[in-house]
Amino acid sequence: MPPSFVHYGLEPPVEGHGLGGLFPPDLTGYHDGAEVSLPVALELVRAMLRDHGAWCRLEAGDVFTVHVGYDQHVYVGSDRPCMDAVVRTRELGPFPEAMSASPYATPLEEPEVTEAACSFSVSSVVP
């Protein structure tokens, strides 16, 4: 099944959806449940924030998640409090807000949903 790409028209499309150098030209490895390294995960977030056309949910099990919305809001989830990260984020300029869940989290308890679309497993998360 070919990957679907999202483009909201904020920036001109980029050849290869901003995935050049992250995956082979035929996008082998860009699929639901693929495991990617932390550097590749960071580049995927960068491509989504630059509106290159790629979109996915990055998840390290129930420990850590990163979702980028169509409005380029970033939703970061963790299984533990991250007050130092919140303070540092505020210092850098963005305005973090506490939320109970990302609006892009897939409720996998629904019987017809077997796997989140375009989710990646980050293979090494640095605490």
Side-chain angles (χ1 to χ4, degrees):
M1 178 170 112
S4 63
F5 296 99
V6 179
H7 182 70
Y8 298 104
L10 301 176
E11 297 290 332
V14 172
E15 185 177 336
H17 308 285
L19 301 174
L22 300 177
F23 299 96
D26 66 354
L27 298 181
T28 301
Y30 185 73
H31 57 80
D32 290 350
E35 188 169 304
V36 297
S37 67
L38 185 55
V40 170
L42 292 171
E43 290 302 318
L44 286 168
V45 170
R46 182 174 282 122
M48 289 185 284
L49 288 172
R50 290 181 175 163
D51 195 27
H52 288 170
W55 188 86
C56 60
R57 288 186 293 265
L58 298 164
E59 302 174 348
D62 293 332
V63 176
F64 189 75
T65 60
V66 177
H67 303 156
V68 177
Y70 73 91
D71 51 8
Q72 296 180 314
H73 289 167
V74 179
Y75 301 90
V76 178
S78 175
D79 67 341
R80 60 185 177 189
C82 302
M83 289 313 299
D84 291 343
V86 171
V87 168
R88 181 70 177 128
T89 301
R90 275 200 184 100
E91 289 171 355
L92 293 171
F95 305 100
E97 296 179 34
M99 298 181 74
S100 60
S102 164
Y104 296 97
T106 301
L108 295 178
E109 55 273 355
E110 294 180 17
E112 68 274 4
V113 177
T114 58
E115 189 171 335
C118 295
S119 65
F120 284 84
S121 172
V122 181
S123 58
S124 60
V125 176
V126 178

